[in-house]
Amino acid sequence: MCGIVGYIGPRQATPILVNGLRRLEYRGYDSAGVAVWEGGKSRVVRCQGKLQGLVNKLEAEPAPGMVGIGHTRWATHGRPSDINAHPHKVGGVSVVHNGIIENHVHLRQQLEASGSKFSSETDTEIVAHLVAAELSSAKDLTEAVRRALTKVVGAFAIVVMDDAHPDTLVAAKKASPLVVGLGEGENYVASDVTAILDETKEIIFVEEGDIVTVTRQGVSITDPQGKPVERTPTTIRWTAAQAEKDGYRHYMLKEIHEQPRAVADTLAGRIDLENDNVTLDGIVVDTSNIKRIVMVACGTSYHSSLVGKFLIEDFARIPVEVDLASEYRYRDPVVRDTDLVIAISQSGETADTMGAVQLAKERGAKVLAISNVLESSIPRLSDYAFYTHAGPEIGVASTKAFTTQLVSLTLLAIHLGRQTGTLSPERARLLLAELLALPNKMAELIEHGAQLQVIARRYGNSRGFLFMGRGNQYPIALEGALKLKEISYIHAEGYSAGEMKHGPIALIDEELPCVVLVPQGPLYEKTVSNLTEVRAREGKVIAIASRGDKEIGSVSDEVIMIPNTLPELQPILSVVPLQQLSYYVADHKGTDIDQPRNLAKSVTVE
Ligand code: G6P
């Protein structure tokens, strides 16, 4: 995930910037850079790879000066490279940016048409061009940034410096974290408290739409219209280790809470409301030659593939098979050149998924990768790559990577369905509108997590759990069971609710909690019948149901209400309480949540 640090004061900036970036290293990044001003102009030093590479470069060619900005980049637009690393400088204007500029294609075309020359593939460079253009007529740097930002759609935290305004840093925030650190005759700006906690504990949390002007003497904040606003500083009492997790006790909990943002980022710039369609970052999959889709993946990504099957078959009416990558690669599968293989891998490095992709390619299929890591091995090996924009996931148990995979698969399925003509514009419009509403619904759902804490304590000492669902909730039952066993070490099984009578029903007694996914949808009644079969055998039922369901309370021991959305999109919401349940059960048991025993985040061996 990208990180930002900025400094203005009486000391040398470079060591402060590098130290701040080092504090953010744990978040994952692929390149780093600084811009430091001295003697009328700033020097930009950037380097792909680890921070140490930048430090070595700075030792060879120092960047002295007492004003500067620094950045660690986690690529989203444009591959990891020296030229795509931040800061981006246009004229005298240097910019660092976290987030995604949604209208970057349009803005870049406009700027190029009026003569701007780009030196990188990033969306960030656009901001530098826009600010540089505004500076010719603006009264100061703050004004230029404010005007430039009126043209930008998306999520961002930016910090800007300009060679002609060396006494000022200007920062702005929209839907991406930004903080200001206060010192004596010196001030700081950063994307995260962690970056500047070694320097100051007096922090202003910048709010939505704020534009911040930082000088040595002080900090002034205005709203997007230029009206001054007051923000009260907070004294931070967290340790650096706590700050790395934004105050959350574990990365997993932090990542659960990051999901609304991650989903919004995955949707950003990809929804084409004018044409009731989706733009897949320039990927056009020619459906005329595709007779079948085969999805291959491991672990949590396998579960998202199972949901993907429902979406693609429903919207595009192309038959879909889903296979575990470790099975597919060794069972001599039938592969045709009319197959599209979709490989899903959060890390893009899983050995079995890579083996499956290699095999599919050797046998003539086209491969589309869905991954969270730009330029990782699986996307590089594939014909097409589509990226989830979840940001790096540190907790071993996958959460935001999973929900953004579901969102990506929905986008892909809509795209395919519009191509085959089996998804009407009206239905696509409805789906797109509901997708855009998901981040808010998810945020509201996550905020009600306290109920899960109570349930986790109540059932957390059980020897086993059963998770059940039907249709597209069945893969979510599998995912709920996987989450629970991964981090709490309690045996859990995910089962199709309709299949329960063929075996697992024998397990049910008053000791076995059954989590039943029963949101509104075409299979609601049938799932309720299965749920009552559990109840009739004294099983304890924890129902995940839609808000407004008045019946479910009378047949369940616990009910967790989730917001309403289209049944096709329900899995994206219904998985959230299962993540929270696993987290709180594990917390109750005191296991190592972020690094559970025997598991690895990325399994690069067979
Ligand atoms: C490991 C992780 C799982 C993950 C699986 C597949 O087992 O612990 O959380 O789902 O690998 O990883 P991928 O990066 O290919 O999605």
Side-chain angles (χ1 to χ4, degrees):
M1 188 78 108
C2 299
I4 290 176
V5 196
Y7 172 77
I8 183 163
R11 294 185 286 154
Q12 283 297 314
T14 298
I16 296 168
L17 300 179
V18 169
N19 186 48
L21 296 179
R22 189 157 277 139
R23 287 284 185 196
L24 298 177
E25 272 193 298
Y26 72 97
R27 295 153 56 90
Y29 65 101
D30 49 55
S31 46
V34 294
V36 183
W37 184 92
E38 191 183 56
K41 61 179 190 319
S42 57
R43 214 167 97 62
V44 177
V45 183
R46 303 179 291 181
C47 188
Q48 187 193 341
K50 290 291 154 204
L51 197 54
Q52 194 52 44
L54 177 70
V55 171
N56 296 344
K57 248 186 172 174
L58 284 165
E59 267 166 21
E61 343 158 28
M66 290 176 275
V67 189
I69 54 181
H71 191 264
T72 40
R73 174 173 189 253
W74 192 74
T76 56
H77 290 96
R79 72 211 137 81
S81 67
D82 283 5
I83 55 155
N84 286 336
H86 302 203
H88 288 281
K89 189 170 181 191
V90 172
V93 176
S94 299
V95 176
V96 289
H97 161 231
N98 287 2
I100 292 169
I101 295 177
E102 285 181 39
N103 56 341
H104 69 104
V105 174
H106 172 70
L107 287 175
R108 192 172 177 128
Q109 279 165 354
Q110 265 189 348
L111 285 160
E112 280 174 342
S114 55
S116 298
K117 295 265 174 294
F118 280 78
S119 57
S120 78
E121 303 157 328
T122 64
D123 50 347
T124 304
E125 194 185 339
I126 290 164
V127 180
H129 279 281
L130 291 174
V131 175
E134 294 295 344
L135 261 178
S136 54
S137 58
K139 71 174 192 306
D140 56 22
L141 185 59
T142 308
E143 180 63 26
V145 170
R146 174 174 298 111
R147 283 204 224 153
L149 291 181
T150 59
K151 305 198 167 91
V152 174
V153 178
F156 51 78
I158 57 162
V159 186
V160 183
M161 61 184 238
D162 175 47
D163 290 355
H165 298 85
D167 50 353
T168 318
L169 294 177
V170 177
K173 166 196 159 73
K174 189 175 163 214
S176 197
L178 184 71
V179 298
V180 173
L182 305 176
E184 291 287 328
E186 56 186 355
N187 290 302
Y188 312 82
V189 56
S191 53
D192 305 80
V193 173
T194 333
I196 50 178
L197 218 50
D198 289 337
E199 308 294 339
T200 177
K201 304 264 188 261
E202 290 301 301
I203 301 289
I204 295 173
F205 288 89
V206 178
E207 292 186 21
E208 286 309 293
D210 285 357
I211 297 177
V212 190
T213 309
V214 187
T215 64
R216 286 181 178 79
Q217 295 73 35
V219 172
S220 60
I221 305 182
T222 48
D223 71 7
Q225 285 70 45
K227 217 167 96 237
V229 287
E230 282 294 318
R231 304 281 175 235
T232 317
T234 311
T235 307
I236 296 292
R237 305 196 192 283
W238 305 335
T239 62
Q242 283 169 326
E244 283 182 0
K245 297 173 191 142
D246 282 353
Y248 292 104
R249 293 185 51 227
H250 297 95
Y251 286 114
M252 183 182 175
L253 191 60
K254 172 174 177 264
E255 286 157 4
I256 288 173
H257 281 257
E258 280 172 350
Q259 289 182 107
R261 175 76 262 138
V263 166
D265 283 347
T266 299
L267 292 172
R270 287 160 167 181
I271 290 194
D272 174 5
L273 286 173
E274 260 172 46
N275 298 302
D276 303 314
N277 210 334
V278 163
T279 52
L280 296 179
D281 306 347
I283 302 172
V284 181
V285 186
D286 178 10
T287 49
S288 62
N289 192 37
I290 299 175
K291 300 264 183 299
R292 176 178 72 155
I293 289 175
V294 179
M295 304 176 84
V296 290
C298 303
T300 289
S301 300
Y302 171 70
H303 296 153
S304 69
S305 312
L306 292 172
V307 179
K309 174 182 165 77
F310 281 88
L311 294 163
I312 296 171
E313 289 194 338
D314 183 359
F315 303 168
R317 306 308 297 162
I318 301 172
V320 180
E321 287 171 26
V322 184
D323 223 328
L324 289 163
S326 55
E327 291 295 326
Y328 179 85
R329 63 184 297 203
Y330 290 120
R331 71 171 169 78
D332 191 16
V334 178
V335 184
R336 301 199 180 94
D337 61 5
T338 51
D339 284 347
L340 172 70
V341 170
I342 300 180
I344 308 191
S345 173
Q346 177 275 129
S347 63
E349 302 295 346
T350 301
D352 281 321
T353 312
M354 194 129 75
V357 169
Q358 262 152 352
L359 180 95
K361 286 211 72 175
E362 276 160 26
R363 297 191 179 187
K366 283 262 180 277
V367 180
L368 184 150
I370 297 182
S371 177
N372 194 35
V373 183
L374 209 76
E375 294 289 309
S376 51
S377 304
I378 293 168
R380 273 197 281 122
L381 209 63
S382 305
D383 300 284
Y384 316 101
F386 187 70
Y387 292 99
T388 53
H389 290 314
E393 202 176 54
I394 295 171
V396 165
S398 188
T399 53
K400 60 177 182 167
F402 178 69
T403 40
T404 54
Q405 284 172 352
L406 297 183
V407 169
S408 301
L409 284 163
T410 314
L411 293 174
L412 177 65
I414 293 173
H415 177 82
L416 294 174
R418 297 292 287 126
Q419 275 234 4
T420 55
T422 47
L423 184 70
S424 68
E426 294 72 27
R427 190 169 173 213
R429 197 173 311 146
L430 206 62
L431 285 160
L432 296 174
E434 273 301 315
L435 275 172
L436 289 169
L438 278 180
N440 282 343
K441 292 185 182 182
M442 219 174 198
E444 185 214 334
L445 175 61
I446 293 168
E447 289 317 316
H448 286 94
Q451 188 195 357
L452 274 313
Q453 229 168 330
V454 177
I455 296 177
R457 274 200 292 270
R458 205 169 279 158
Y459 299 93
N461 295 325
S462 306
R463 284 193 19 247
F465 269 73
L466 195 59
F467 288 77
M468 291 191 302
R470 296 182 81 125
N472 63 2
Q473 296 297 329
Y474 167 43
I476 301 305
L478 296 176
E479 175 60 9
L482 178 69
K483 280 293 82 89
L484 188 73
K485 51 191 153 192
E486 277 182 319
I487 58 171
S488 73
Y489 317 144
I490 294 177
H491 177 73
E493 267 198 67
Y495 236 83
S496 154
E499 186 67 9
M500 187 190 64
K501 53 188 172 293
H502 300 298
I505 200 161
L507 299 172
I508 294 171
D509 61 18
E510 67 282 4
E511 304 280 301
L512 186 75
C514 296
V515 180
V516 186
L517 292 142
V518 63
Q520 290 301 322
L523 295 168
Y524 173 79
E525 304 290 347
K526 297 224 173 295
T527 317
V528 171
S529 306
N530 302 134
L531 178 154
T532 49
E533 289 158 14
V534 174
R535 248 324 195 51
R537 287 158 185 84
E538 311 281 318
K540 293 277 175 288
V541 172
I542 303 167
I544 314 287
S546 299
R547 192 162 298 153
D549 185 335
K550 296 205 171 47
E551 319 298 317
I552 202 76
S554 60
V555 287
S556 311
D557 296 276
E558 317 282 348
V559 180
I560 294 141
M561 293 292 189
I562 60 173
N564 286 294
T565 183
L566 297 172
E568 301 89 313
L569 307 184
Q570 275 292 359
I572 305 170
L573 295 176
S574 63
V575 73
V576 172
L578 305 193
Q579 299 167 344
Q580 290 172 307
L581 178 68
S582 312
Y583 173 82
Y584 289 120
V585 169
D587 194 33
H588 172 70
K589 293 195 70 185
T591 56
D592 186 348
I593 294 183
D594 285 330
Q595 289 185 323
R597 69 186 181 201
N598 307 340
L599 296 179
K601 185 72 193 156
S602 172
V603 183
T604 52
V605 291
E606 278 187 43

